Structure formats: structure tokens, C-alpha cells
């Protein structure tokens, strides 16, 4: 069976893609179409270490995907539809309906349509990507891989908010969690590094990128995670507040006359480290902090302290922890964040090695805890595209084996 997968990640105004082998993870080409529907779009196609960039308007997702196929034709490698095992789609919200990846058919599309109110910013773009890809590759299985699916194993007491229970039962208001493909990938890799089976490994995973979340993972199954009904809950992020007192919303509405849309925008796009310091790129934030900028120093501290609190909470949730795993741009590349979030926890058995912590190179996985540390601290680069391709291949293989179409 062929193992080549085209992975598509359709965002609100961008399309990212990667053509790769789902078994080895080796990418043949990768690219993106940005600023879809705006005055000027940007198309980037990278193959053999060379990036081909084009600036021109891209009308919509159909245009974006057709341009992508054209980029493959022009710059290579040509997409051989017979060699393509699947198109894997990142879908943000699978609600309670999907705990596994799904081969897309009309029924799955209808269920996804029904989930749009849960993720009004993300799911419509994902759906559009799915529809267009089905038209362009009618004979190739389209597989939806959900950010939420990994967390469907959370126990009821972890996913239920303490609000009138009808909110959950009639309006689907509960915690779902996100970053699931990253957690699936990183937890398998971490177990390998520890020389343990996934089933026998308890992890606290910190996915710290522009969006940031933490998860408590017991035996490969999520038992809690910091993002909730939406990706706004939990840790402090680049531009998102994370946890706040929900009564603040009413206060802003009453005292400033803000609409819910205003408040939503402020919490999602104007808060987090950006709201505190004016920048959301951690490299710039850390530079300013080093230069003595008090606002940048506070934003850093608020961010790292929130991570630290969740580490404590998830330690208690798990009871026994084999490793704390750091991933995402900040988790991987910021020794200062790791030190601030995980330093001084010797009594919990978490002992960072200061030299190892700063010596982690780019891209490589590394152990940054001291030799005697009961709980290992690992830095593991995530690879969501590979995980999507892997899961897409697995589900197509299962379907073939069961004699499905
Ligand atoms: P996304 O959530 O968009 O996938 P990433 O996981 O790529 O985000 O992480 C992006 C974040 O990682 C940015 O804030 C960026 O500044 C930060 N980052 C990247 N490299 C470094 C570095 N060397 N030191 C500190 N932060 C870094």
C-alpha cells in the first residue's frame, strides 16, 4: 500500500500543506497560501530546500487549493493521485462526536456542519477545505483528524463545568481541549525516550506555542487539559488571556458598555503576553525583558507562573508522573520559560539540569532534567503534520482491512 499523504491545514485566511510519507514522516514538499480573500495573497512552495514564493490575490479556498496543485505541477513533485493514500485534514473541533479520525463522507460533513457553532472561527474554514479537496481529489480518501479527539478520554468530572447541567446536555457546553494531534505525537515520542510503553507512562505535557495548553496524560490517554470549550481557557498565550474570572465580562459590559463581540476580541486577540507587554513573539519579549523592560518582565512572569500552577495541578491529578514534556515554539526554544516554570520543584522530584536546559539545540529531542531526577523533563519537538498523516493512513488501512469502500 502507498504511504504518501497530503496534509491540509485550512485556517481562517490561510492554507498550509505538506506532502509526506505517513510512515517515515519524510516531507517531499511543504507550503502555504496566506491572506486568502485579501487584496494580495502570498503563496510559498518549498521543495528540495528551495522556496518558491509568489504574491498575487487568492480569491477563496478553491483558488488556494487549485493554486497548490498547480505549485506541485510547476515546482514538483507532481502529485500522483494513484500514489496518494489519503488527504489528511486538520479539523479543529470534533465536539463529542469524534474520538477518532474519520473518513469523510456526506454524513461526516453533515456532523461537522452541526459542530460549526462550537468553533465558528475555525470549523467553517476546515469544512471548506474538505469540500474543495473532495472535488479536486474525488478518488482519494479524505480523512478528518480532530484537535479535540485525543481529549475525548477525559473523565466526566474533568470535562464538566460546574454550571446548570442543562448547559452541557442541551447546549454542549463542556470542556473539549485542543492540540490533540500534538499531544498524541509527543506522548508517544516521550515514552520512547523514557524506554517505557505508552500504556505505562504518565506525562504532563506543556504545548507552549502561540496558542498554549497543558495536558495530563495517563497511559496515553488524556485525563485533563487546560483548554476547554474553546481554545481560550487555561494558560496565558501570545494574544489570549487564558483563565480569567468570568464575572469580568459582565463588569466590562456594565461599566464600559462593551458588546460581547468587543470582549471576545479583546480576550482572544488583544490579551495574553501581547496585552501585557505589546508583543506576542517570545523572542522579542525575552530580548526586551533582558534589556530591562518591566512590562515584558511581568508578561514573562505571568506566563511562566500560569504554566507552573498547571504543572502542580496535573501532578495532583495524575498522582504519579514519569516526565514533564515541553513542546511548541516556546516550550522547545526557551530555556528561561522552562527554568521559571519548572525550577525549584525538587520536592516534587522534578530537578532541571541548568546546563542541559540551555544546551538544547534546535529541532532535537533532549532530556533536560538532572540524572537523579525522579521525574524526567524532556524537550520534544512536535510534528502535527506527521501525526495527521499517520492517523489518516491508519484509518484508511483499517477501512481497507474491513472491506470498506
Ligand atoms: P503556533 O502556536 O503558531 O504553532 P509555535 O509552536 O510555532 O506556534 O510557537 C511560536 C512561538 O515560539 C512564538 O512566540 C515564537 O516567538 C516562539 N519561539 C520560537 N523560537 C524561539 C526561541 N528561540 N526562543 C523563544 N521563543 C521562541
Amino acid at each position: 500500500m502507498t504511504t504518501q499523504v497530503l496534509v491540509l491545514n485550512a485556517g481562517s485566511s490561510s492554507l498550509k500543506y505538506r506532502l509526506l510519507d505517513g510512515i517515515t514522516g519524510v516531507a517531499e514538499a511543504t507550503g502555504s497560501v496566506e491572506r486568502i480573500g485579501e487584496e494580495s495573497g502570498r503563496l510559498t512552495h518549498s521543495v528540495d530546500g528551495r522556496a518558491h514564493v509568489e504574491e498575487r490575490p487568492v480569491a477563496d479556498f478553491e483558488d488556494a487549493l487549485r493554486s497548490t496543485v498547480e505549485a506541485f505541477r510547476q515546482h514538483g513533485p507532481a502529485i500522483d493521485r494513484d500514489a496518494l493514500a489519503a488527504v489528511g485534514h486538520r479539523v479543529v473541533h470534533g465536539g463529542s462526536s469524534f474520538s477518532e479520525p474519520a473518513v469523510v463522507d456526506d454524513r461526516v460533513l453533515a456532523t461537522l456542519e452541526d459542530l460549526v457553532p462550537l468553533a465558528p472561527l475555525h470549523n467553517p474554514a476546515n469544512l471548506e477545505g474538505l469540500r474543495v479537496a473532495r472535488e479536486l481529489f474525488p478518488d482519494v480518501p479524505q480523512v478528518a483528524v480532530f484537535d479535540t479527539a485525543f481529549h475525548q478520554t477525559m473523565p466526566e468530572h474533568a470535562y464538566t463545568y460546574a454550571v446548570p447541567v442543562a448547559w452541557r446536555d442541551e447546549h454542549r457546553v463542556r470542556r473539549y481541549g485542543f492540540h490533540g494531534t500534538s499531544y498524541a505525537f509527543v506522548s508517544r515520542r516521550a515514552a520512547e525516550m523514557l524506554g517505557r510503553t505508552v500504556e505505562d507512562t504518565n506525562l504532563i505535557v506543556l504545548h507552549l506555542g502561540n496558542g498554549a495548553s497543558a495536558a495530563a496524560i495517563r497511559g496515553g490517554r488524556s485525563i485533563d487539559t487546560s483548554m476547554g470549550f474553546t481554545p481560550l481557557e487555561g494558560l496565558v498565550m501570545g494574544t489570549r488571556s487564558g483563565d480569567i474570572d468570568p464575572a469580568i465580562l459582565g463588569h466590562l459590559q456594565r461599566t464600559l458598555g462593551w458588546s460581547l463581540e468587543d470582549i471576545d476580541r479583546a480576550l482572544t486577540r488583544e490579551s495574553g503576553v501581547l496585552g501585557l507587554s505589546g508583543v506576542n513573539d517570545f523572542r522579542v519579549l525575552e530580548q526586551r525583558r533582558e534589556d530591562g523592560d518591566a512590562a515584558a518582565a511581568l508578561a514573562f512572569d505571568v506566563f511562566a507562573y500560569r504554566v507552573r500552577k498547571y504543572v502542580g495541578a496535573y501532578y495532583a491529578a495524575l498522582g504519579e508522573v514519569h516526565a514533564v514534556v515541553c513542546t511548541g515554539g516556546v516550550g522547545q526554544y526557551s530555556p528561561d520559560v522552562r527554568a521559571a516554570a519548572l525550577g525549584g520543584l525538587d520536592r516534587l522530584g522534578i530537578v532541571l539540569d541548568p546546563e542541559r536546559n540551555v544546551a538544547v539545540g534546535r529541532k532535537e529531542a533532549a532530556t533536560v532534567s538532572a540524572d537523579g531526577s525522579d521525574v524526567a523533563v524532556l524537550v520534544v519537538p512536535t510534528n502535527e503534520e506527521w501525526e495527521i498523516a499517520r492517523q489518516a493512513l491508519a484509518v484508511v488501512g483499517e477501512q481497507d482491512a474491513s472491506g470498506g469502500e
Side-chain angles (χ1 to χ4, degrees):
M1 191 184 113
T2 161
T3 53
Q4 191 185 51
V5 180
L6 176 64
V7 171
L8 298 180
N9 182 352
S12 52
S13 67
S14 72
L15 173 72
K16 294 189 201 131
Y17 60 86
R18 185 176 295 182
L19 183 70
L20 75 167
D21 185 302
I23 304 287
T24 64
V26 174
E28 292 184 54
T30 153
S32 61
V33 184
E34 291 161 281
R35 304 198 296 266
I36 298 171
E38 292 179 31
E39 242 166 67
S40 165
R42 185 187 168 87
L43 302 94
T44 311
H45 184 82
S46 302
V47 60
D48 294 333
R50 275 195 59 200
H52 305 269
V53 183
E54 196 187 337
E55 301 259 349
R56 65 168 173 81
V58 180
D60 49 24
F61 272 99
E62 178 156 0
D63 191 359
L65 201 52
R66 285 193 192 281
S67 306
T68 298
V69 173
E70 178 58 21
F72 274 103
R73 206 186 55 74
Q74 251 189 32
H75 307 295
I79 299 184
D80 174 359
R81 285 160 207 218
D82 293 332
L84 207 53
V87 179
H89 296 259
R90 175 193 178 208
V91 180
V92 170
H93 217 310
S96 304
S97 309
F98 297 100
S99 55
E100 300 286 338
V103 177
V104 177
D105 53 20
D106 291 341
R107 198 183 45 84
V108 169
L109 278 182
T111 312
L112 287 175
E113 198 74 63
D114 180 53
L115 290 170
V116 164
L118 295 185
L121 291 180
H122 294 101
N123 272 31
N126 301 153
L127 262 167
E128 188 59 17
L130 274 165
R131 282 203 198 95
V132 178
R134 267 182 115 198
E135 273 170 40
L136 280 185
F137 304 100
D139 301 324
V140 182
Q142 310 285 322
V143 181
V145 179
F146 302 93
D147 276 15
T148 47
F150 184 75
H151 301 296
Q152 281 296 303
T153 51
M154 276 193 286
E156 200 174 9
H157 62 255
Y159 73 68
T160 302
Y161 290 115
V163 292
V165 76
W167 294 19
R168 186 189 81 182
D169 297 344
E170 289 164 31
H171 304 289
R172 301 182 280 185
V173 174
R174 49 156 285 183
R175 314 185 62 257
Y176 293 98
F178 298 86
H179 284 143
T181 50
S182 176
Y183 287 123
F185 182 88
V186 163
S187 48
R188 224 178 21 253
R189 187 78 190 84
E192 268 167 39
M193 288 170 73
L194 296 170
R196 309 177 68 94
T197 61
V198 171
E199 293 70 30
D200 191 30
T201 306
N202 290 358
L203 301 170
I204 296 170
V205 183
L206 307 171
H207 179 115
L208 311 178
N210 243 322
S213 70
I217 301 172
R218 174 181 289 145
R221 295 161 68 84
S222 173
I223 63 157
D224 204 351
T225 191
S226 59
M227 283 177 171
F229 180 65
T230 74
L232 183 56
E233 191 180 346
L235 301 182
V236 175
M237 309 183 209
T239 64
R240 290 174 238 165
S241 62
D243 298 333
I244 62 161
D245 180 343
I248 294 169
L249 278 64
H251 173 74
L252 291 173
Q253 196 268 327
R254 282 189 301 274
T255 55
L256 299 175
W258 281 18
S259 67
L260 282 178
E261 283 70 30
D262 294 336
I263 297 171
D264 222 22
R265 190 188 55 250
L267 292 177
T268 310
R269 307 220 181 117
E270 297 160 7
S271 296
V273 290
L274 175 78
L276 290 172
S277 74
V279 292
N280 65 324
D281 186 320
F282 244 81
R283 282 164 289 203
V284 182
L285 184 85
E286 292 192 343
Q287 189 55 56
R288 289 200 184 170
R289 172 176 174 254
E290 263 169 48
D291 295 343
D293 180 332
L298 177 63
F300 178 97
D301 290 346
V302 172
F303 177 92
Y305 179 62
R306 184 78 54 86
V307 176
R308 192 177 177 87
K309 282 208 291 192
Y310 269 90
V311 169
Y314 288 169
Y315 205 118
L318 287 163
E320 185 185 14
V321 180
H322 299 113
V324 178
V325 188
C326 302
T327 194
V330 177
Q332 224 179 307
Y333 300 129
S334 175
D336 285 357
V337 165
R338 290 195 297 267
L342 301 171
L345 298 179
D346 305 30
R347 294 293 286 269
L348 294 181
I350 301 171
V351 188
L352 268 184
D353 180 301
E355 278 165 27
R356 285 181 188 165
N357 187 37
V358 295
V360 183
R362 293 189 83 83
K363 295 211 162 181
E364 58 188 296
T367 301
V368 295
S369 44
D371 287 337
S373 184
D374 281 345
V375 179
V377 181
L378 308 177
V379 174
V380 179
T382 191
N383 192 331
E384 288 162 287
E385 288 82 7
W386 187 8
E387 183 62 27
I388 291 171
R390 213 188 61 80
Q391 294 194 16
L393 265 190
V395 70
V396 168
E398 275 167 27
Q399 200 183 44
D400 286 351
S402 70
E405 19 159 67

